Amino acid sequence: MLELQDICFRAGDDPEEKGILKHINLKIDDGFVAITGPNGGGKSTMAKVIAGIIKPTSGRVLFDGENITELSITERAKKGISFAFQQPVRFKGLTVRDLINLAHGEPLSLNDACKYLSEVGLCAKDYINREVNASLSGGELKRIEIAMVIARGTKLSIFDEPEAGIDLWSFNNLIRVFEALRTNINGSILIISHQERILNIADRIVVLADGEVRAEGAREEVLPELLTGTQACSTLLNKVV
């Protein structure tokens, strides 16, 4: 479904500048894929390249066999790619129902709109008409954003560190939401995360360090090496596959 071909990205125009992404080659098919690795390794940058928020310095992004490298984030959204930010945006003046309708692309009945909130563990009657403003917590906003992604029904849904900035109770609820998404997956979910509990429900794990893919494979193959201690983890992150 998604393929990155020799993707490089530099923040500046100087060709001698150290690249943030260095010759990334990666294929992502249907399923739940987690991308992890040390801070500053290029994970969020790669997610933004896939979503079309930034363009690579070189290389190609293919989606369903089509070269989408030059397409904008809006054009990619129309192709079926969703992106959820680390910090969801608050929309003063819009209600939760408004956002779900916008995500779906056409007005939904009240029952249908509420169904999406129920899928992410929110009591629909308490949230459907609430304004998306500062009265909502970070955890509530994250779940509303996930409900929007579900309402869109996209082929590829990207979540950039969904656990960032939320409390333990909200995180536990997010884990349950992602577990349900994994069970009922229709397409691909790509999550950038450091959290073991998220990695533990992924089908595949990609380890990105210093702008390079250092490991890639089924969760059963990659996760044990990441969890067996500092020495093993260091060996994994310094091994180019």
Side-chain angles (χ1 to χ4, degrees):
M1 177 182 288
L2 175 75
E3 183 174 0
L4 305 183
Q5 296 181 340
D6 200 30
I7 292 292
C8 297
F9 179 77
R10 292 190 305 272
D13 297 326
D14 185 355
E16 299 300 319
E17 183 178 344
K18 183 179 179 182
I20 297 174
L21 298 178
K22 307 169 186 175
H23 305 287
I24 299 291
N25 289 284
L26 187 64
K27 290 183 179 181
I28 295 174
D29 296 315
D30 287 354
F32 191 126
V33 180
I35 297 180
T36 193
N39 290 331
K43 301 183 299 300
S44 291
T45 299
M46 187 170 77
K48 290 175 182 177
V49 166
I50 294 170
I53 298 171
I54 58 178
K55 290 185 179 179
T57 305
S58 61
R60 301 199 309 164
V61 181
L62 304 182
F63 189 59
D64 285 344
E66 178 185 356
N67 185 354
I68 62 169
T69 312
E70 298 300 321
L71 297 187
S72 68
I73 184 172
T74 301
E75 292 168 321
R76 294 189 198 198
K78 292 177 181 178
K79 296 286 183 183
I81 298 176
S82 294
F83 184 86
F85 292 89
Q86 285 188 27
Q87 298 298 327
V89 180
R90 300 175 191 268
F91 298 90
K92 187 176 180 180
L94 290 179
T95 66
V96 172
R97 185 177 183 180
D98 291 332
L99 290 186
I100 291 176
N101 283 333
L102 286 170
H104 186 67
E106 59 185 16
L108 289 162
S109 69
L110 180 61
N111 285 341
D112 286 341
C114 287
K115 179 186 71 175
Y116 292 115
L117 290 177
S118 297
E119 286 188 38
V120 297
L122 293 175
C123 179
K125 67 181 181 65
D126 292 338
Y127 287 90
I128 193 67
N129 292 315
R130 284 185 65 177
E131 186 175 327
V132 185
N133 56 24
S135 69
L136 293 169
S137 70
E140 289 170 328
L141 281 170
K142 290 282 178 73
R143 282 188 278 171
I144 290 167
E145 189 172 40
I146 294 170
M148 291 171 62
V149 170
I150 296 171
R152 284 204 62 216
T154 50
K155 297 178 183 178
L156 174 63
S157 303
I158 305 167
F159 297 91
D160 187 7
E161 296 193 30
E163 71 272 13
I166 63 173
D167 56 50
L168 180 60
W169 186 88
S170 296
F171 177 66
N172 288 335
N173 279 289
L174 277 180
I175 290 294
R176 285 191 284 271
V177 170
F178 284 123
E179 286 174 335
L181 282 177
R182 181 179 182 272
T183 301
N184 303 306
I185 193 169
N186 182 21
S188 298
I189 296 175
L190 182 64
I191 296 188
I192 311 297
S193 182
H194 298 284
Q195 289 290 334
E196 179 184 345
R197 289 180 63 188
I198 289 180
L199 300 182
N200 204 42
I201 59 176
D203 297 311
R204 298 183 64 79
I205 296 175
V206 177
V207 180
L208 196 67
D210 194 28
E212 299 176 328
V213 174
R214 298 296 178 87
E216 175 194 358
R219 177 190 69 246
E220 297 82 1
E221 300 170 354
V222 178
L223 188 57
E225 289 196 63
L226 289 173
L227 300 179
T228 51
T230 304
Q231 184 174 357
C233 185
S234 177
T235 299
L236 178 63
L237 295 178
N238 286 289
K239 176 177 67 178
V240 179
V241 294

